Amino acid sequence: GMQVDAMRMRGYCADALKDNVAATRYYQWALQLATSSGDSVREAQVRLGLGATLHRTGDTAKAGQHLEEALRLGTVAEDEGVIAAASGNLGKVQMGQGEHALAAANFTRAFHLREKNLDLRGCAVQAINVGGSASLAGNDAEAEEWYRKALAFSRDAEARDMTAAALRSLVNHLAGATFQTPPITEDMIAEAEVDAEAGRELERKP
């Protein structure tokens, strides 16, 4: 178990450094160790990392396979953290493949699990994802509702970068849905500028 965790953490660190080749290699080694030991929970965690990395490199087919298996293993183990993460990442893969309904279902599952576990930031992330899938499917009212949920959760979480993202998503959606600039107050503009600067400050931190 410790060997799997150590190798998975190396993969995570390589991920953080955007070294996809090294991350993939470490995750694959960790996966071999996890499967040979029969540790399904650790296997699910490794597949999560590997699936996300493969998705970033453009290998969506393999990414989807690993994430679907992670979701299956997490469901069997009743590990809500794995289920939520796998659902969210699988939804991203499906969005890229044009499977908007499947993506929405996975994003929604992830949202409800984040909500159940009081992960407010996670709720904001998934609400934006659900809104995006609804918007692409042409469900404008539903998309607006989810973007507003994202805004509320990000403010409750005091996550300024997510508040800026939710505001941007909502404003862009309203502009596209109504084909005119939505009513934006001076307070909204000021708040968006503050949130955007907070997001830039976070990006500058090592």
Side-chain angles (χ1 to χ4, degrees):
M2 292 180 64
Q3 285 183 313
V4 177
D5 291 341
M7 203 61 67
R8 181 167 62 88
M9 284 307 299
R10 289 183 182 181
Y12 179 81
C13 291
D15 252 347
L17 296 172
K18 294 180 170 47
D19 188 343
N20 294 321
V21 174
T24 300
R25 185 170 65 250
Y26 285 130
Y27 283 136
Q28 287 174 336
W29 287 342
L31 183 58
Q32 290 177 358
L33 292 169
T35 52
S36 63
S37 66
D39 191 332
S40 60
V41 173
R42 282 188 168 88
E43 179 185 343
Q45 293 170 339
V46 173
R47 287 185 185 277
L48 274 175
L50 181 56
T53 300
L54 290 172
H55 182 222
R56 281 194 297 275
T57 63
D59 195 344
T60 55
K62 286 185 179 178
Q65 291 171 4
H66 284 293
L67 292 170
E68 285 177 353
E69 183 62 10
L71 179 57
R72 187 190 71 79
L73 292 169
T75 302
V76 171
E78 298 183 347
D79 187 319
E80 293 185 344
V82 169
I83 296 171
S87 297
N89 284 323
L90 185 56
K92 292 177 184 177
V93 172
Q94 292 164 335
M95 281 282 281
Q97 296 172 331
E99 299 283 359
H100 302 145
L102 292 176
N106 275 306
F107 289 145
T108 303
R109 182 193 298 118
F111 171 84
H112 288 305
L113 287 171
R114 297 301 187 194
E115 185 178 34
K116 178 181 177 182
N117 290 285
L118 304 179
D119 179 357
L120 301 180
R121 182 186 178 86
C123 284
V125 171
Q126 296 307 327
I128 288 176
N129 287 337
V130 180
S133 60
S135 179
L136 287 172
N139 301 324
D140 292 335
E142 182 181 352
E144 179 180 347
E145 179 184 349
W146 279 102
Y147 287 142
R148 291 190 184 280
K149 280 186 181 181
L151 189 57
F153 275 107
S154 62
R155 284 172 172 164
D156 287 344
E158 298 182 353
R160 287 180 168 176
D161 57 328
M162 286 307 304
T163 300
L167 267 174
R168 185 167 57 249
S169 296
L170 177 60
V171 169
N172 288 341
H173 171 71
L174 289 174
T178 61
F179 301 102
Q180 61 183 8
T181 303
I184 304 173
T185 65
E186 290 185 5
D187 286 343
M188 285 179 68
I189 295 172
E191 184 176 79
E193 289 174 348
V194 170
D195 292 331
E197 177 56 34
R200 287 191 290 270
E201 182 63 30
L202 284 174
E203 292 175 357
R204 286 194 287 266
K205 291 182 179 179

